[in-house]
């Protein structure tokens, strides 16, 4: 019995944000250190913030 690879397309949305230049510099530096794209770094930061929100 083999496990078949079944690719799925996750729904994503394209958005635009305005961000302070100093924060963008930090994002760029940190994403470079982590060897991931700026987009992936921002997404992971947002996911972390949402998971750690206090209600």
């Amino acid at each position: 019995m083999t496990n078949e690879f079944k690719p799925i397309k996750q729904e994503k949305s394209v958005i635009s944000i305005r961000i302070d230049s100093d924060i963008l510099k930090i994002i760029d530096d940190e994403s470079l250190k982590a060897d991931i794209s700026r987009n992936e770094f921002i997404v992971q930061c947002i996911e972390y913030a949402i998971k750690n929100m206090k209600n």
Side-chain angles (χ1 to χ4, degrees):
M1 191 166 160
T2 62
N3 292 333
E4 291 184 38
F5 173 67
K6 295 181 182 177
I8 60 169
K9 182 175 181 173
Q10 293 182 327
E11 186 175 333
K12 297 193 179 202
S13 298
V14 176
I15 63 166
S16 175
I17 63 170
R18 287 172 177 74
I19 192 163
D20 184 82
S21 299
D22 293 334
I23 294 173
L24 184 58
K25 173 75 170 112
I26 293 168
I27 290 169
D28 286 343
D29 291 346
E30 294 300 320
S31 62
L32 187 61
K33 282 190 228 174
D35 194 28
I36 59 175
S37 70
R38 174 195 290 167
N39 182 75
E40 186 58 33
F41 183 83
I42 293 169
V43 168
Q44 289 183 32
C45 287
I46 293 169
E47 288 172 344
Y48 178 83
I50 290 170
K51 288 177 187 174
N52 291 283
M53 286 174 53
K54 294 182 182 177
N55 293 331

